[in-house]
Amino acid sequence: VSQPFWQSVSAIPALENAEKNLLVLDSLAGKSGILQKNLKGNQLAVSLHPTGKEEFDFLYVLAYEDPESFSLLHDIEGKIKDSGTLTSRNYSGIEISELKINSNGITLTYAIIDNLLAVSFTSFLVEDAIRHSQNEGLSIFSEFYEELFEDSPQAKGLGILRIGSSG
């Protein structure tokens, strides 16, 4: 949220809640180099999805080269174990964990899907990621929005921002 482009994006009223969630995620993982350690050498995709008539939320997907190194989860869980509640449930054979932070009532949902860590403050976005990973009949973002991937430049700086929408 400290990047210049976010000032324009954050002016959209439907993204107010998303910004608040971003700041919570940053406070959970941003200190002590936890986030930097987990991002180094791994690929991160951040996507914004409609979650209501006028609300949006992010889905964060971190692809680990080495699936044995999912330390981000343990770091976050350890950091707030005294100030939150951790529950787990099974969804289509994948374990989904939900970490409720008592101080602000926010719930962080996450699951490990193969070598991917899917994280969101909206549980159905993680469930949707699991559905897409298991159902080859569902459309893939890159196939649905082919024009966004034509002659894609290599990411320089912070990365590439892609926007696509029906209607």
Side-chain angles (χ1 to χ4, degrees):
V1 298
S2 64
Q3 300 305 318
F5 82 89
W6 186 256
Q7 291 177 357
S8 300
V9 173
S10 66
I12 301 169
L15 295 180
E16 269 182 47
N17 194 42
E19 181 173 350
K20 181 180 82 171
N21 289 344
L22 271 174
L23 294 171
V24 169
L25 186 61
D26 184 53
S27 69
L28 287 175
K31 297 178 182 163
S32 309
I34 293 171
L35 196 55
Q36 185 175 0
K37 177 179 82 173
N38 281 270
L39 291 176
K40 188 174 183 175
N42 297 314
Q43 204 170 34
L44 174 68
V46 179
S47 54
L48 184 64
H49 303 265
T51 57
K53 185 176 178 185
E54 294 184 8
E55 292 182 8
F56 293 84
D57 202 0
F58 290 98
L59 173 68
Y60 308 90
V61 180
L62 182 58
Y64 282 87
E65 290 223 3
D66 175 16
E68 300 297 316
S69 63
F70 279 98
S71 64
L72 180 62
L73 294 177
H74 305 296
D75 292 340
I76 291 175
E77 288 170 0
K79 191 172 179 184
I80 68 160
K81 65 181 175 189
D82 296 330
S83 61
T85 308
L86 180 63
T87 58
S88 296
R89 59 187 169 89
N90 191 301
Y91 183 84
S92 294
I94 304 278
E95 183 179 334
I96 294 179
S97 298
E98 294 179 326
L99 191 54
K100 184 169 184 172
I101 304 160
N102 295 337
S103 61
N104 54 21
I106 290 177
T107 301
L108 180 67
T109 304
Y110 54 90
I112 296 174
I113 310 165
D114 298 322
N115 70 321
L116 304 174
L117 170 62
V119 179
S120 182
F121 289 96
T122 304
S123 63
F124 78 79
L125 293 180
V126 173
E127 293 167 1
D128 198 41
I130 292 169
R131 266 193 305 280
H132 274 79
S133 75
Q134 295 177 342
N135 187 342
E136 293 182 23
L138 293 174
S139 62
I140 296 172
F141 183 84
S142 61
E143 292 174 358
F144 194 73
Y145 297 109
E146 289 180 26
E147 66 278 6
L148 296 175
F149 292 86
E150 293 173 1
D151 299 324
S152 296
Q154 281 291 69
K156 293 180 181 142
L158 296 173
I160 299 172
L161 176 63
R162 300 184 194 277
I163 300 174
S165 176
S166 304

